Amino acid sequence: MADTTTTSSDYLEKFKSYLKNPKGFILAAEIGLCLIINICYAASVHHVISYVAIGGMITAIIFFCVYMMELDKKFQRISWVWTDLFRTVIDAAWFIIESLYLMIRWPGYGAWVAGSVFSLIAGLVFAYDAYTVSLQIKSTRQNSDTAALTDAKV
């Protein structure tokens, strides 16, 4: 029988090593920016709850855990790369739209403006993440096309 016990130090080591990975760093930045946005909106005069930031943070945490614990390799029925691309494109669009709307529409309260600026930065980080995921999809397709051509010639 296999030993399936895992200690908390194993998860801590996985966490530390995944943060050094570029994808892990981007996901951690997304989570941190969403948390800062929520704090800024909570401290504003109007006490706005940003559902965009909450949703973005929850989805980034889910994907961080999936990739950190390598669940994407265990559950292969889900196309994790395409799901991640869909998530990042939607979140980037929502953050950019929300930040521009709040910068144009509302008066310049300090926490409100800070939340709007961080929301724009988060939109750009999500857009960069979408770009890196699309490059990953493109390289995977090129590799599979090359392999198909090689198999056809043999």
Side-chain angles (χ1 to χ4, degrees):
M1 195 166 186
D3 183 25
T4 58
T5 59
T6 311
T7 63
S8 62
S9 64
D10 293 338
Y11 289 119
L12 187 61
E13 289 301 317
K14 280 185 179 182
F15 178 77
K16 287 179 183 178
S17 67
Y18 190 66
L19 278 179
K20 294 176 185 174
N21 185 354
K23 180 67 177 178
F25 182 76
I26 291 171
L27 283 168
E30 291 172 358
I31 294 167
L33 282 169
C34 290
L35 184 64
I36 290 170
I37 293 165
N38 282 322
I39 290 170
C40 288
Y41 288 153
S44 71
V45 174
H46 296 292
H47 301 292
V48 171
I49 296 176
S50 176
Y51 296 111
V52 174
I54 291 170
M57 185 169 61
I58 289 171
T59 57
I61 288 171
I62 289 169
F63 274 85
F64 186 88
C65 292
V66 164
Y67 288 139
M68 180 188 74
M69 293 189 282
E70 297 178 349
L71 295 176
D72 57 326
K73 293 176 178 81
K74 292 180 183 175
F75 300 108
Q76 293 183 350
R77 285 195 169 251
I78 299 172
S79 177
W80 291 103
V81 178
W82 281 98
T83 307
D84 196 20
L85 179 67
F86 183 72
R87 172 192 70 89
T88 54
V89 167
I90 296 296
D91 283 343
W94 274 112
F95 273 109
I96 291 171
I97 290 168
E98 176 193 46
S99 67
L100 293 176
Y101 173 76
L102 292 176
M103 286 181 189
I104 293 168
R105 175 83 171 109
W106 295 99
Y109 300 116
W112 192 280
V113 172
S116 299
V117 170
F118 280 115
S119 186
L120 183 62
I121 293 169
L124 295 175
V125 170
F126 276 99
Y128 176 74
D129 193 10
Y131 174 72
T132 59
V133 171
S134 67
L135 288 179
Q136 181 182 0
I137 291 171
K138 186 177 179 180
S139 69
T140 304
R141 278 192 170 178
Q142 286 178 348
N143 291 341
S144 66
D145 290 344
T146 305
L149 287 174
T150 307
D151 291 342
K153 289 181 182 179
V154 172

